[in-house]
Amino acid sequence: MTGTTPPKIVSPADNLSFECAQESCGFRGDECICRPMHNHFDKAQLRAARTLELNEGDQLAPEDFPEPVVFAVLTGVIAVESHLSDGRRSLLTLRLPGEYLDMNRADRHASGEVVALAPTSVKLLPRTVFEELLLLDANLRRIYWRRATDIMHQQFDHSSDLGKKTPTERMASFIFELRNRLNIPRFVEEFALPISRQSIADYLGLRAETVSRVFKGLEKEGLIKLVSKHQLAIIDFKGLRKIANGSRPRLSNHR
Amino acid sequence: MTGTTPPKIVSPADNLSFECAQESCGFRGDECICRPMHNHFDKAQLRAARTLELNEGDQLAPEDFPEPVVFAVLTGVIAVESHLSDGRRSLLTLRLPGEYLDMNRADRHASGEVVALAPTSVKLLPRTVFEELLLLDANLRRIYWRRATDIMHQQFDHSSDLGKKTPTERMASFIFELRNRLNIPRFVEEFALPISRQSIADYLGLRAETVSRVFKGLEKEGLIKLVSKHQLAIIDFKGLRKIANGSRPRLSNHR
DNA sequence: CGGAAACTTGAATTCCGTCAAGCGAGGTGG
DNA sequence: CCACCTCGCTTGACGGAATTCAAGTTTCCG
């Protein structure tokens, strides 16, 4: 745990606070697992679900989840972080509110630590409970198997960004990715950037300076507007979309 | 289908060729699903599993699998391929013999086509059958859920490669990735590169020329030896491993 | 108000991508 | 069998774009 304060563990009250009323599981709508949990499990198991409040920069140490867990993000942002031997940092994947992260091997620091990129609250659910629940409920199973492949495709897209896109293209791509995953309504063009420039850079394989410059460049072209440092408005959706799809190669000619 | 010849569909014989004898499902050892298939399903379902023979460059069109399928690679290599609007090619993920690829949304060309990078034979299994099998067999379920997260971690590692590693580091990393996934025994230092330079480049986010140069460079340093164009020997495991973990940054000073 | 951290801006450097040419193995047909 | 072609790979030279390094500037806290 590296943050300034240890994460505050909020245990559910005994009266089954895990019940669905406030969507306390972290999942919304069809994906909510509170009701099926309530139907299938006893109090002890329900109580196994904890809430963690994290500050920006807090890392989740293996001690925080000795058994494999599923994280469900309520608010904020978490990421899987890895460091090369000389200190270079990468953010391998992000999870925004309403999304979940399955880290069944975090204890073995297989390929990264879980870290909060902003003030965040997450639900922790023992993986065994999550799996058992999926076995019991065919509908949930369908929904979560579908989500698992969505996550994989998201990861594919990210690889495509990192592999063959220019910094400008990556940033454009990232802006749309954020917008979609934050569920910003179609007609709203302004939204908040929930993470720092440095984190954006580490997620996109760039330097913070480059992120800054690209933002500035996109703004100068009238594609976006930086309302404030962490408030972004998309001005020209079409133009930005084009760039995101690869209309800004390094040099016009290639193969 | 873009290859020279259409893929040859090899239907299993009626006498349940899907039975486990030859590990005909494509999965080995514990992962073999032939026996549980045989126990749980009737002939019609077993027959739903097809084998496809692909030439290098063959793409699997949606017509080839109208329903979601799971590919199991018997021999060769397949990849998920995507193209940016101006033609840049990326290989988002690779699958080597004994591995499987779950493309339940290929019909929607969500994020790429499946393509063979070498002469390949794959088993196709309807996803519904695969899922049903996992529901019926707790042991298999455990094995495959574990594999799914392994695949995700593999993708994470790959993102780390693409995001913050130099070309030399990526190549070193890739050499080990291949070696591991091909199950090359610990004491064997020589093995075959199953894909072309161009494919390596597209997988690692580099140019074919760079791949060539890095190979040459690593060879000059005595870390590897290119026995032939597609036969590689690792000379200095330790040194190469160090590079893979990030000991060769762009410039010594950073941050 | 003060200090630190995050972000921006500027200038220099370098490394990889680009372009172009050369090489070599494999296949084909005469 | 050899000339020829093709395609994948290698090698070289060069330039530009992103990183690096360094110095501001702003923002956000306490």
Side-chain angles (χ1 to χ4, degrees):
Chain A
M1 189 74 52
T2 59
T4 50
T5 60
K8 201 176 79 193
I9 296 179
V10 183
S11 288
D14 272 349
N15 60 359
L16 290 188
S17 76
F18 209 80
E19 229 275 284
C20 193
Q22 324 98 297
E23 296 181 327
S24 53
C25 62
F27 300 120
R28 296 189 266 249
D30 285 346
E31 296 166 357
C32 177
I33 58 174
C34 293
R35 186 166 307 284
M37 284 279 287
H38 185 55
N39 293 338
H40 292 305
F41 293 112
D42 62 24
K43 284 191 181 183
Q45 286 167 305
L46 296 187
R47 234 176 276 118
R50 294 181 294 155
T51 301
L52 243 57
E53 303 289 341
L54 305 172
N55 295 314
E56 181 175 343
D58 280 350
Q59 283 186 339
L60 289 171
E63 305 87 74
D64 296 317
F65 44 101
E67 62 183 348
V69 294
V70 173
F71 300 90
V73 180
L74 295 163
T75 63
V77 188
I78 59 175
V80 177
E81 180 185 52
S82 90
H83 292 274
L84 296 189
S85 58
D86 69 337
R88 274 169 284 172
R89 183 176 88 142
S90 292
L91 298 178
L92 307 179
T93 196
L94 304 182
R95 289 298 182 277
L96 304 174
E99 300 180 336
Y100 74 96
L101 174 64
D102 183 358
M103 281 302 280
N104 71 331
R105 305 176 78 193
D107 48 323
R108 299 175 57 210
H109 70 285
S111 65
E113 304 275 324
V114 177
V115 61
L117 302 183
T120 297
S121 74
V122 289
K123 279 276 180 187
L124 268 68
L125 195 63
R127 194 169 199 269
T128 52
V129 173
F130 190 68
E131 289 182 358
E132 200 180 334
L133 187 65
L134 291 191
L135 283 181
L136 292 172
D137 192 309
N139 200 39
L140 275 189
R141 199 163 57 231
R142 204 169 34 73
I143 290 170
Y144 278 94
W145 275 357
R146 163 67 173 274
R147 278 198 101 183
T149 66
D150 283 350
I151 291 171
M152 187 55 95
H153 279 269
Q154 215 169 72
Q155 232 24 55
F156 286 168
D157 285 345
H158 186 54
S159 290
S160 167
D161 287 358
L162 294 178
K164 283 277 161 72
K165 285 188 185 173
T166 62
T168 305
E169 291 165 351
R170 282 182 221 185
M171 293 280 294
S173 214
F174 174 69
I175 291 170
F176 283 114
E177 182 186 344
L178 261 189
R179 228 190 91 87
N180 292 335
R181 292 174 61 181
L182 288 171
N183 296 306
I184 309 296
R186 179 169 300 280
F187 51 87
V188 176
E189 64 259 327
E190 189 176 327
F191 66 99
L193 296 171
I195 62 177
S196 71
R197 300 285 191 270
Q198 185 60 56
S199 291
I200 296 175
D202 290 339
Y203 182 59
L204 296 179
L206 304 170
R207 318 248 53 182
E209 297 94 322
T210 305
V211 171
S212 203
R213 278 188 258 267
V214 171
F215 268 142
K216 175 67 66 136
L218 290 175
E219 188 168 29
K220 221 169 239 166
E221 292 187 57
L223 294 159
I224 64 169
K225 183 162 164 41
L226 281 164
V227 179
S228 79
K229 256 175 189 130
H230 289 103
Q231 198 70 15
L232 180 79
I234 303 180
I235 306 298
D236 179 357
F237 277 82
K238 235 179 193 167
L240 198 62
R241 171 58 69 194
K242 235 184 189 164
I243 293 178
N245 287 343
S247 72
R248 189 135 326 176
R250 182 181 151 91
L251 246 180
S252 45
N253 262 8
H254 52 87
R255 149 160 334 258
Chain B
M1 193 73 55
T2 58
T4 49
T5 60
K8 200 175 82 192
I9 296 178
V10 183
S11 290
D14 271 351
N15 58 359
L16 292 188
S17 75
F18 209 79
E19 228 273 285
C20 193
Q22 327 96 299
E23 297 181 327
S24 54
C25 61
F27 300 120
R28 296 189 267 249
D30 285 348
E31 296 165 356
C32 177
I33 59 174
C34 293
R35 187 167 307 282
M37 284 279 286
H38 185 56
N39 293 339
H40 292 305
F41 294 112
D42 63 23
K43 285 193 182 184
Q45 284 167 305
L46 296 188
R47 235 176 275 119
R50 295 180 295 155
T51 301
L52 243 56
E53 303 288 341
L54 304 171
N55 295 313
E56 181 177 342
D58 280 350
Q59 283 185 341
L60 289 170
E63 305 86 76
D64 296 317
F65 44 102
E67 62 182 347
V69 293
V70 173
F71 301 90
V73 180
L74 296 164
T75 64
V77 188
I78 60 174
V80 176
E81 180 185 50
S82 90
H83 292 273
L84 297 188
S85 58
D86 70 339
R88 272 169 286 172
R89 182 177 89 140
S90 292
L91 298 178
L92 307 180
T93 196
L94 304 182
R95 289 296 181 278
L96 303 174
E99 301 179 336
Y100 74 95
L101 174 65
D102 182 358
M103 283 299 282
N104 72 331
R105 304 177 79 194
D107 47 324
R108 299 175 56 208
H109 69 287
S111 65
E113 303 276 323
V114 177
V115 62
L117 302 183
T120 297
S121 74
V122 289
K123 279 276 179 187
L124 269 69
L125 195 63
R127 193 168 199 271
T128 51
V129 172
F130 190 68
E131 290 182 356
E132 202 179 331
L133 188 64
L134 291 190
L135 283 181
L136 292 172
D137 192 310
N139 201 39
L140 274 188
R141 199 163 57 232
R142 203 169 35 72
I143 290 169
Y144 277 94
W145 274 357
R146 163 69 174 272
R147 278 199 101 183
T149 66
D150 284 349
I151 291 171
M152 187 56 92
H153 280 268
Q154 212 168 75
Q155 256 348 85
F156 286 169
D157 286 345
H158 187 54
S159 290
S160 167
D161 288 357
L162 294 178
K164 281 279 162 71
K165 285 188 185 174
T166 61
T168 304
E169 292 165 350
R170 282 182 221 186
M171 293 280 294
S173 212
F174 174 69
I175 290 169
F176 284 114
E177 181 186 346
L178 261 188
R179 228 190 88 89
N180 292 335
R181 292 174 61 181
L182 287 172
N183 296 307
I184 308 297
R186 180 170 298 279
F187 52 87
V188 175
E189 64 255 330
E190 189 175 328
F191 66 98
L193 295 170
I195 62 177
S196 71
R197 300 287 190 269
Q198 185 60 56
S199 291
I200 296 175
D202 290 338
Y203 181 58
L204 297 179
L206 304 170
R207 318 251 59 191
E209 296 93 324
T210 304
V211 170
S212 203
R213 276 188 260 266
V214 171
F215 268 142
K216 176 66 67 138
L218 291 175
E219 189 168 29
K220 224 170 238 162
E221 292 186 58
L223 294 158
I224 64 170
K225 182 162 164 41
L226 281 163
V227 179
S228 78
K229 255 172 190 131
H230 289 103
Q231 197 72 11
L232 180 77
I234 303 181
I235 306 299
D236 179 359
F237 278 81
K238 231 176 194 171
L240 198 62
R241 169 58 69 192
K242 234 183 189 168
I243 293 178
N245 287 343
S247 73
R248 188 130 333 172
R250 183 183 153 92
L251 245 180
S252 45
N253 268 5
H254 56 84
R255 151 174 319 260

